[in-house]
Amino acid sequence: MCPWRKKYVCLTPEESVRQRFLHRLVDEFGYPMNLIAVEVPLRGKRADAVVYTKDLQPLVLIEFKAETVPLTQKVLDQVAVYNRQLHVPYLILHNGPQTVIANITETAISFSPEIPTWNQL
């Protein structure tokens, strides 16, 4: 059962990665569960997950891959295309063993080795 979609979904390798990571964001990093949306529709696409501010503005865009799928420049490019619609300051790519966190500003992209807590966003 996916608590965010409130329905049963097939537990594919990517879905398993998604569920573990989202629960970790809530349990370890203090993200409010009710401010995380899964499979967010975009023009012709869907974002794997989006974290919103308390004012319901998009804040973090998350892309999940199965553990066997490496996080490459191609994956970052995919998320960057999605972000053209959302304009979030944080991108997270996660495949289980690997996590990439990018902070986007108007002038630069910086990478962080650590997942920000809810209070650090």
Side-chain angles (χ1 to χ4, degrees), residues 29-91:
F29 295 95
Y31 287 55
M33 188 171 178
N34 65 326
L35 294 179
I36 300 171
V38 173
E39 295 290 328
V40 176
L42 302 172
R43 280 180 244 126
K45 307 279 184 188
R46 278 185 291 188
D48 287 342
V50 176
V51 179
Y52 293 89
T53 65
K54 292 177 182 175
D55 297 328
L56 300 180
Q57 297 302 308
L59 180 63
V60 182
L61 174 58
I62 309 171
E63 178 66 24
F64 297 102
K65 297 295 181 190
E67 289 185 8
T68 57
V69 178
L71 300 180
T72 63
Q73 183 66 46
K74 183 177 177 181
V75 176
L76 182 58
D77 293 345
Q78 173 188 355
V79 176
V81 168
Y82 296 168
N83 199 33
R84 288 183 191 154
Q85 293 179 54
L86 294 175
H87 306 287
V88 299
Y90 294 95
L91 304 176

Side-chain angles (χ1 to χ4, degrees), residues 25 29-32 51-53 59-60 89-92 101-103 114-121:
L25 286 180
F29 295 95
Y31 287 55
V51 179
Y52 293 89
T53 65
L59 180 63
V60 182
Y90 294 95
L91 304 176
I92 298 177
I101 298 108
N103 185 1
E114 308 225 353
I115 299 167
T117 65
W118 173 251
N119 291 331
Q120 292 172 325
L121 293 175

